Amino acid sequence: GEPIMPTRTVGFDKVQRKLKKMSKAVDDMDDKTLMKVTGEVRNRIVKRTMRGRDSDMKSFKPYSTDYSKFRAKKGKKTGRPNLVMTFAMLGNMSFKKIRGGSMIHFTSTAQNDKAYWNQQSREFFGLSKHNHKYVLSELRKPVVKAMR
């Protein structure tokens, strides 16, 4: 018969060690990293909203005439909406660790209800494409580092 070509696995043990390191990096992703990223996303949502932009980076639709009059009587700006009358709602936005990840939320029922109402007409509570990329990039770092 034909001669059997001897086979040799080259570097498999090295690949296996790298895979174990990557797996450990994902498993060991500490709460500190996750919470740092979640906190940054929360801050980005607040800043973007205060600039009058929704989660797609589009300007919020204008205030209704009646609401503009109400704001004017309170001495508040009536131009581009930014969902800030007293900062109570945006200031109440918080984040916490949950099983399997983290969550951005409103700690007060009243502010959560206000956010829900605002979200119906001005989608502020979400991630822009840029923020999606930021989250993925930051969470990939420990894995990429482990691959080296």
Side-chain angles (χ1 to χ4, degrees), residues 5-54:
M5 181 72 156
T7 59
R8 191 172 126 212
T9 305
V10 179
F12 182 72
D13 56 334
K14 188 176 180 180
V15 171
Q16 198 170 25
R17 280 195 308 271
K18 286 217 183 256
L19 287 173
K20 282 182 182 176
K21 271 179 79 174
M22 286 170 53
S23 178
K24 184 169 174 25
V26 171
D27 289 344
D28 291 348
M29 186 180 297
D30 58 358
D31 292 348
K32 183 179 173 186
T33 300
L34 183 62
M35 297 314 285
K36 175 185 159 251
V37 171
T38 306
E40 177 61 22
V41 169
R42 178 244 180 237
N43 292 342
R44 288 174 179 214
I45 291 171
V46 169
K47 287 175 188 173
R48 184 194 70 232
T49 302
M50 291 181 70
R51 287 193 313 267
R53 302 279 177 185
D54 68 15

Side-chain angles (χ1 to χ4, degrees), residues 12-124:
F12 182 72
D13 56 334
K14 188 176 180 180
V15 171
Q16 198 170 25
R17 280 195 308 271
K18 286 217 183 256
L19 287 173
K20 282 182 182 176
K21 271 179 79 174
M22 286 170 53
S23 178
K24 184 169 174 25
V26 171
D27 289 344
D28 291 348
M29 186 180 297
D30 58 358
D31 292 348
K32 183 179 173 186
T33 300
L34 183 62
M35 297 314 285
K36 175 185 159 251
V37 171
T38 306
E40 177 61 22
V41 169
R42 178 244 180 237
N43 292 342
R44 288 174 179 214
I45 291 171
V46 169
K47 287 175 188 173
R48 184 194 70 232
T49 302
M50 291 181 70
R51 287 193 313 267
R53 302 279 177 185
D54 68 15
S55 58
D56 290 327
M57 299 305 291
K58 295 178 186 162
S59 293
F60 289 137
K61 72 177 190 173
Y63 290 128
S64 68
T65 305
D66 288 344
Y67 191 68
S68 284
K69 289 177 185 175
F70 171 76
R71 285 183 64 87
K73 284 180 186 175
K74 297 276 187 183
K76 301 292 180 180
K77 293 180 182 178
T78 59
R80 179 191 295 183
N82 63 5
L83 308 187
V84 175
M85 174 71 88
T86 64
F87 197 71
M89 181 187 74
L90 292 177
N92 185 254
M93 192 186 303
S94 188
F95 58 97
K96 67 181 180 181
K97 172 109 174 72
I98 59 171
R99 190 172 146 204
S102 61
M103 176 174 88
I104 299 173
H105 66 113
F106 296 88
T107 59
S108 156
T109 302
Q111 299 310 319
N112 187 69
D113 291 349
K114 192 186 300 180
Y116 176 82
W117 181 82
N118 276 306
Q119 183 75 4
Q120 303 311 301
S121 57
R122 296 177 181 93
E123 290 190 37
F124 74 99

